[in-house]
Amino acid sequence: MNYNYLLEMKDISKFFPGVKALDQVNFFLKEGEVIGLLGENGAGKTTLMNILNGVLPADKGYVKIKGEKVKIKNPTEAQKLGIAYIHQELNLIDELSVRENLFLGREVKKKFALIDKNEMNKLSEKALSNLNLNIDPEEKVENLPLAIKQMIEIARALMFEADIIVMDEPTSSLTSEEIEVLFNLIEKLKKENKSIIYISHRMEEIFEITDKVTVLRNGGYVGSKVTEETNHDELVKMMAGTEVEKRFFKEKYSLEEKLFEVKNLNGEKILKDISFDVKKGEILGVAGLMGSGRTELLETIFGIYSPDSGDLRLNNQEYKIKSPKHAINKGIAYIAEDREGKGLFLDFSLLKNIYLTYVH
């Protein structure tokens, strides 16, 4: 081995009309190393990784892998160079099966170029079992919850022999149990001398799994720190450029007047005698494992599903669940777990998406 770094990105710059997305950014990664890539929204993290993955070309600078300069023109070339990218936004095709998504573009074939479904199913089951997923490879992706889709995205990226694995907010849709599985897998990959670039806004994750941290701000390289030799406040200052005196501020409210009450709510085959109340000015957390009914509860309150039974009161008046339109008129808003699939019309403009609530 005649190189110090597995990956070198030197003086990387990227310009969009009116925007300098990256300005002479440096990034270095050693074999078997986990580096956290930090920065506020718009700092340039995803743009830098898109250049590494061949999605975007750099306007200036160069990339070296194993000591050799490379030009990565597209994601296929990135894969051939041993780079896997787990995107923050899912890149699965809902209409296809789990197996078809896992092997899309790199199907296993037998004689006469026929696709070997049996072999792909075996390999799929092995990849899914590494993430403790007991899923039929023939299951359509559209039938699966968001968290499972996120795990399939991770499994797909890890199925080919990658030396560099980019994880862009991989835990955004995962439960604590699924995050633990992922972190154990990261430790296993480190022992196999794989290198990981981990992007996250969750500082506790950065301190738990990374060896070093690189910080970007406003498209520029701020610096790198050994994780064990830094702390939360120092990293926040590097990201923000100033001291952040208050991490969280919550005003005190008089939590006496009930705003919303739910009694003995049943429905969607999973909700059984759910009861709670929310007072004015109160933040109520709804917790539970995947499949426990959290999403079904919220979607029932919002009128997506009709309850089988139960009593609800809003502002001390009876609240009959009729439809999302009715819920909106009553002052109830719902932010879906799956922003892309259920929260936005991606083909519509920003203006149209904002005004859809008002023209229902």
Side-chain angles (χ1 to χ4, degrees):
M1 185 177 75
N2 57 356
Y3 53 88
N4 294 321
Y5 294 101
L6 173 63
L7 169 67
E8 297 177 60
M9 301 183 77
K10 186 72 174 175
D11 298 326
I12 301 295
S13 297
K14 182 63 184 177
F15 307 96
F16 297 108
V19 178
K20 186 184 287 186
L22 295 172
D23 186 13
Q24 295 185 314
V25 170
N26 298 318
F27 186 86
F28 304 96
L29 179 68
K30 292 182 178 179
E31 289 186 343
E33 188 174 50
V34 179
I35 286 190
L37 184 57
L38 289 183
E40 295 180 321
N41 289 333
K45 306 182 298 295
T46 300
T47 301
L48 184 66
M49 292 300 101
N50 279 336
I51 290 172
L52 176 61
N53 196 46
V55 176
L56 295 171
D59 294 324
K60 292 182 179 179
Y62 63 85
V63 177
K64 280 186 178 181
I65 294 179
K66 296 182 179 179
E68 295 185 8
K69 281 189 178 182
V70 295
K71 284 192 176 294
I72 308 173
K73 297 178 181 178
N74 53 58
T76 301
E77 287 193 7
Q79 279 193 7
K80 291 177 180 177
L81 290 167
I83 301 168
Y85 195 161
I86 300 169
H87 295 267
Q88 181 180 4
E89 298 295 338
L90 299 180
N91 284 315
L92 303 175
I93 300 176
D94 280 351
E95 293 77 12
L96 298 182
S97 68
V98 172
R99 183 201 72 241
E100 288 168 328
N101 271 280
L102 290 176
F103 284 94
L104 191 63
R106 44 195 173 97
E107 292 80 4
V108 177
K109 297 180 181 179
K110 46 189 178 181
K111 289 183 178 180
F112 309 112
L114 295 174
I115 292 176
D116 193 340
K117 290 184 179 180
N118 291 332
E119 181 64 19
M120 287 195 295
N121 277 337
K122 289 179 183 178
L123 294 173
S124 296
E125 288 172 356
K126 181 179 178 181
L128 295 170
S129 67
N130 286 334
L131 293 168
N132 289 355
L133 294 176
N134 184 21
I135 306 171
D136 183 356
E138 298 288 348
E139 182 69 60
K140 288 282 186 70
V141 167
E142 63 186 356
N143 298 328
L144 301 172
L146 182 62
I148 295 297
K149 290 180 181 180
Q150 182 74 68
M151 297 292 270
I152 292 170
E153 184 85 39
I154 293 169
R156 182 171 67 175
L158 299 178
M159 282 189 71
F160 72 93
E161 292 299 316
D163 297 313
I164 300 168
I165 303 164
V166 181
M167 298 185 175
D168 192 351
E169 301 279 359
T171 62
S172 58
S173 304
L174 305 184
T175 65
S176 56
E177 288 77 14
E178 291 159 347
I179 292 172
E180 185 178 352
V181 171
L182 176 62
F183 286 2
N184 289 336
L185 182 60
I186 289 174
E187 284 299 319
K188 179 183 175 183
L189 292 169
K190 279 186 64 176
K191 291 176 182 177
E192 295 173 359
N193 223 27
K194 307 296 184 182
S195 302
I196 296 169
I197 302 169
Y198 193 89
I199 302 174
S200 178
H201 288 97
R202 298 178 180 180
M203 204 68 77
E204 68 276 8
E205 295 181 359
I206 295 296
F207 281 102
E208 182 173 349
I209 64 169
T210 67
D211 302 303
K212 289 183 180 179
V213 182
T214 291
V215 179
L216 304 184
R217 184 173 70 242
N218 296 330
Y221 171 75
V222 177
S224 298
K225 297 285 183 179
V226 176
T227 307
E228 291 182 348
E229 297 174 0
T230 188
N231 56 57
H232 181 283
D233 290 341
E234 183 177 31
L235 293 178
V236 170
K237 183 179 179 181
M238 291 174 71
M239 287 189 290
T242 58
E243 293 280 1
V244 180
E245 296 180 0
K246 295 182 179 179
R247 301 180 193 172
F248 178 73
F249 177 73
K250 181 179 179 182
E251 293 183 15
K252 291 184 178 180
Y253 293 92
S254 176
L255 303 178
E256 297 178 358
E257 186 178 352
K258 289 182 181 179
L259 177 67
F260 187 60
E261 295 179 76
V262 175
K263 291 183 179 179
N264 306 118
L265 181 66
N266 294 275
E268 278 307 293
K269 299 180 181 179
I270 195 170
L271 303 179
K272 298 177 181 179
D273 292 326
I274 305 295
S275 298
F276 63 88
D277 61 66
V278 183
K279 299 179 177 66
K280 286 189 175 181
E282 186 176 41
I283 299 174
L284 174 69
V286 179
L289 298 176
M290 187 175 59
S292 63
R294 296 166 303 173
T295 300
E296 289 83 357
L297 172 62
L298 298 181
E299 291 186 343
T300 298
I301 291 171
F302 192 61
I304 295 174
Y305 302 123
S306 297
D308 296 331
S309 62
D311 298 315
L312 292 84
R313 297 187 69 81
L314 179 64
N315 288 318
N316 216 22
Q317 295 182 350
E318 185 180 24
Y319 171 62
K320 290 288 187 182
I321 301 173
K322 298 178 181 178
S323 66
K325 177 181 179 179
H326 177 250
I328 292 170
N329 288 336
K330 290 292 184 179
I332 297 177
Y334 176 57
I335 300 175
E337 176 186 31
D338 184 356
R339 309 284 193 266
E340 185 175 338
K342 296 182 178 179
L344 296 169
F345 289 92
L346 299 183
D347 294 335
F348 286 12
S349 68
L350 181 61
L351 182 64
K352 286 183 178 179
N353 271 283
I354 291 171
Y355 270 92
L356 275 173
T357 308
Y358 298 96
V359 296
H360 57 270

